[in-house]
Amino acid sequence: MICLMHEGSPYGYLKVGDKVILPANLARIVGASLAEVDGWLTELQEAGVFSRDTAGCIFSRRMIKDEFIRESRASGGKLGGNPLLKDKAKISDKVNLPSNLPPTPPSASSSTARIEDDDSGASEKTPFERVYDFGCSLFPQLATQTTSVIHQWLDGGADIDLDIIPEIKRLHDKGIQPRGWGLFTQDIANAKSKRETPLPKGETKHARPTTKQGRFEQQDYYSGTEGFEVIGGPGVTV
């Protein structure tokens, strides 16, 4: 919905051009039933996440506020800045700061800043939102495609930072342009399977003699590699 609101007219409204996106349209966009979408919209509205205008169109208060601030700053910049600073005669070179100022604390407040939601003030994004926002940032065309496969990835145990996001980025770097989220499914499944497959472990073969540093055991690192040729030795196999 937020991605669609970025393209709305006016900005921040859930519209395509001048046409309001109704729950039935939204259900087709996200690939869910109308009953599900109605339930989700009711939950979001009761939580105060979005608002509606007199025509019933959903809009984001936060997005409209940010756009107003952006336009105000742009208008102010066109006027040439602070008029008091344009008159050099009014600018004083006198330093008005006291001496021996206390040092700045080493910890920055930004390190503990919380990421706030659109309007509700909730903390960090949900796993679904992280995947959706990252995918749409690389492939804007995915904003209006069915997202049910994202839930399948997460429910199936795929890790966001180890499986999902790296594979989406890898395909993006290869210049592939997907028509839907399902294109990533097989690559994400392969990454998850590879990550969860245990590597062969060495077995204790024999012990070294006692040394001044103590007793150590030697690992047979060739265990489980029978049939492979060892690179670096002519004709050597294990």
Side-chain angles (χ1 to χ4, degrees):
M1 289 171 62
I2 292 177
C3 291
L4 294 172
M5 290 174 182
H6 276 287
E7 303 296 331
S9 178
Y11 180 84
Y13 283 76
L14 192 60
K15 291 184 176 182
V16 175
D18 295 330
K19 296 183 178 180
V20 177
I21 298 179
L22 301 175
N25 307 124
L26 191 59
R28 287 193 294 270
I29 292 173
V30 302
S33 67
L34 179 57
E36 289 176 316
V37 171
D38 282 334
W40 297 333
L41 291 177
T42 300
E43 182 178 353
L44 291 174
Q45 187 169 4
E46 291 177 351
V49 175
F50 63 77
S51 300
R52 294 181 185 269
D53 62 10
T54 55
C57 179
I58 294 174
F59 66 91
S60 167
R61 301 184 300 274
R62 176 63 179 273
M63 293 175 66
I64 294 175
K65 176 183 176 182
D66 290 346
E67 180 68 4
F68 174 78
I69 294 175
R70 186 192 67 80
E71 291 181 352
S72 298
R73 290 173 176 171
S75 299
K78 294 178 181 179
L79 299 177
N82 191 335
L84 296 178
L85 299 180
K86 295 172 65 176
D87 188 354
K88 296 183 179 180
K90 297 181 179 180
I91 300 177
S92 174
D93 295 332
K94 181 180 179 180
V95 178
N96 58 0
L97 294 177
S99 59
N100 299 325
L101 290 174
T104 303
S107 60
S109 59
S110 60
S111 61
T112 57
R114 297 178 60 191
I115 302 176
E116 295 189 354
D117 192 24
D118 177 22
D119 292 330
S120 60
S123 57
E124 297 181 357
K125 297 179 180 179
T126 64
F128 173 86
E129 291 172 338
R130 286 188 57 197
V131 175
Y132 181 83
D133 290 348
F134 181 79
C136 291
S137 67
L138 299 183
F139 306 103
Q141 69 270 26
L142 295 179
T144 58
Q145 300 303 312
T146 301
T147 58
S148 57
V149 290
I150 299 180
H151 295 288
Q152 295 176 9
W153 302 340
L154 298 173
D155 294 342
D159 188 275
I160 296 178
D161 299 308
L162 299 179
D163 304 324
I164 300 177
I165 288 181
E167 289 304 311
I168 294 177
K169 185 178 185 302
R170 184 179 66 84
L171 294 180
H172 173 267
D173 294 341
K174 291 176 65 175
I176 296 176
Q177 292 295 326
R179 294 183 179 180
W181 294 93
L183 175 69
F184 308 110
T185 299
Q186 187 60 53
D187 295 283
I188 292 173
N190 293 340
K192 175 178 177 293
S193 177
K194 183 178 180 180
R195 176 175 57 83
E196 294 178 345
T197 301
L199 297 175
K201 297 181 180 179
E203 299 177 355
T204 302
K205 191 170 185 180
H206 59 272
R208 292 181 180 179
T210 303
T211 65
K212 293 182 181 180
Q213 287 76 24
R215 185 179 181 86
F216 297 90
E217 292 182 337
Q218 182 179 9
Q219 289 290 113
D220 179 12
Y221 293 103
Y222 292 129
S223 176
T225 60
E226 290 79 9
F228 289 89
E229 183 176 352
V230 179
I231 300 175
V236 179
T237 58
V238 297

